[in-house]
Amino acid sequence: MNNKILKTFALGTLLTFSFSNAQQKPKVVLDNFFNNEKRENKETKELESWHYTWNDTTNGGFSLLGEIFTKQGAEISSLKTAPTKKDLKNANIYIIVDADIDKEAYGGKANLIDPISIKNLTDWVKKGGVLVLMSNDNGNSEFEHFNKLAGEFGIHFNDDSYNRVQKREFEQGKVMVPAGNEIFSEQKLYMKEVATISVKNPAKELLSAEGKNIGAIAKFGKGTVFALGDPWCYNEYIDGKKLPADFTNYQGTEEWVKWLLKQTSTK
C-alpha cells in the first residue's frame, strides 16, 4: 500500500471515528429504585411504576421532561436497582427524585440510599458525572439517607415545607428568578410545597422562596451536582394546562435541561 493510499485510509478512519463520537448521545438515567412507587394498571390490573417516571403520562409523571431531554439530543433510560459502578459508567446524568418513605414504597418498605451507593455516586461525580437530587417536602420524602448522599457535596435538605398553596391560589407557589441566575433566565416559576436547602463549600445557593434557599449547585472534582427541594418539572406544571400563563415552568425546564447537558461536555 503506497503512502497516498495510507494517508487516504487514515483520514477516512479519523473522519469515521470523529463522526461516530459526534453522534454519541448523552445518557440520562432516572432512578427507579429509591423512588419505586407502584400502582395497579386499570386496564391490565398489573402493578406498574408511576410518579416521576419517564413513562408516566399522568399529572405526576415525567413523560414531558423525557421528551425535552430527547429533543435536546439525549438518550433516556431508567435504573431499577441501586447504582453500581458499571451502571454509572454508562451514564452522563443520573437523577434521583423524591426518595421513598415506607408509606409510598412498593411493599411498604423503602429502598434507602446505602453507603455503597453513596461511594459509587461520589466517585462517579468526581470523575465528571452530573448528579441531580430533587426531594419533596416534609412528610412526602425520605431525608435522613438522602442527606447522607447530598452531604458529600455540601448540600443538606431540610425536613420542612415552604410555598404552601391553598387550593388554586397559585401565587403562593411562585419562585421569582432574578437576572444573572446561573441556570435560568429572569422569570416566574411555580414550585409548590418545597423543602429548603442549607449549603456549605463546595455548594452554593441557587433559588429562593419565601426568603429561604431552595436550590443549590456544587462543583465536585470534574462533575456537577444540582439540588432542588421539589420535583418541580412534572407534567402537571409544565403542560400549560393548569398554571396561569405568567408562570414559565416549561421554559424553565428547557433551560435547566440544556444546562445539565452542557455540564456533561466535560466528562
Side-chain angles (χ1 to χ4, degrees):
M1 189 179 291
N2 62 39
N3 288 340
K4 184 175 182 181
I5 294 174
L6 280 172
K7 288 179 180 178
T8 303
F9 176 79
L11 179 60
T13 302
L14 179 61
L15 288 173
T16 301
F17 178 77
S18 300
F19 179 78
S20 176
N21 280 354
Q23 296 303 306
Q24 290 180 355
K25 295 183 177 182
K27 294 178 173 59
V28 182
V29 180
L30 177 62
D31 161 67
N32 193 203
F33 182 72
F34 303 118
N35 171 48
N36 187 34
E37 297 181 57
K38 295 185 184 294
R39 65 178 178 184
E40 185 181 275
N41 184 296
K42 292 181 180 179
E43 295 181 0
T44 65
K45 304 301 180 184
E46 294 181 356
L47 287 176
E48 62 182 7
S49 294
W50 78 294
H51 214 196
Y52 313 128
T53 62
W54 298 134
N55 61 354
D56 185 355
T57 58
T58 66
N59 279 345
F62 270 168
S63 60
L64 293 179
L65 174 61
E67 288 179 10
I68 293 172
F69 268 114
T70 301
K71 286 177 182 177
Q72 292 300 323
E75 178 182 301
I76 62 172
S77 64
S78 299
L79 183 61
K80 297 182 180 297
T81 59
T84 64
K85 290 181 180 179
K86 184 178 179 180
D87 294 324
L88 294 170
K89 190 175 181 179
N90 296 317
N92 298 98
I93 298 173
Y94 182 74
I95 305 172
I96 306 177
V97 182
D98 186 30
D100 289 339
I101 51 180
D102 286 346
K103 73 176 185 179
E104 297 174 327
Y106 172 59
K109 188 67 175 175
N111 295 319
L112 301 174
I113 297 176
D114 59 286
I116 294 176
S117 295
I118 292 173
K119 175 81 165 57
N120 290 342
L121 286 164
T122 303
D123 290 346
W124 171 76
V125 172
K126 190 178 295 183
K127 293 175 183 177
V130 178
L131 178 63
V132 175
L133 302 174
M134 292 192 284
S135 75
N136 219 318
D137 66 330
N138 172 264
N140 293 303
S141 193
E142 197 279 327
F143 284 90
E144 181 183 351
H145 296 80
F146 199 52
N147 272 325
K148 288 179 181 178
L149 171 59
E152 294 289 323
F153 312 106
I155 296 166
H156 182 87
F157 292 89
N158 300 312
D159 193 351
D160 55 18
S161 184
Y162 284 81
N163 266 30
R164 300 189 66 82
V165 177
Q166 305 301 314
K167 296 182 179 180
R168 296 183 66 83
E169 297 296 324
F170 296 116
E171 283 296 309
Q172 296 174 341
K174 70 181 179 182
V175 172
M176 303 303 297
V177 183
N181 186 275
E182 185 169 336
I183 299 176
F184 305 101
S185 61
E186 186 175 1
Q187 61 189 289
K188 181 180 178 181
L189 300 175
Y190 183 81
M191 299 179 185
K192 174 186 176 184
E193 297 170 0
V194 185
T196 62
I197 292 177
S198 302
V199 303
K200 63 181 180 181
N201 190 52
K204 58 183 180 180
E205 297 182 351
L206 179 70
L207 291 169
S208 64
E210 293 190 48
K212 305 285 185 179
N213 181 60
I214 61 169
I217 300 172
K219 294 293 184 180
F220 187 81
K222 295 180 180 179
T224 305
V225 179
F226 172 91
L228 191 68
D230 186 55
W232 67 290
C233 48
Y234 48 97
N235 295 338
E236 184 176 8
Y237 297 128
I238 65 173
D239 65 6
K241 297 177 182 179
K242 183 171 184 176
L243 295 178
D246 60 337
F247 284 101
T248 54
N249 278 37
Y250 189 90
Q251 173 191 328
T253 301
E254 284 189 315
E255 293 174 354
W256 176 64
V257 164
K258 289 176 182 177
W259 180 85
L260 287 174
L261 291 172
K262 186 177 180 180
Q263 308 314 300
T264 69
S265 63
T266 59
K267 185 174 180 182

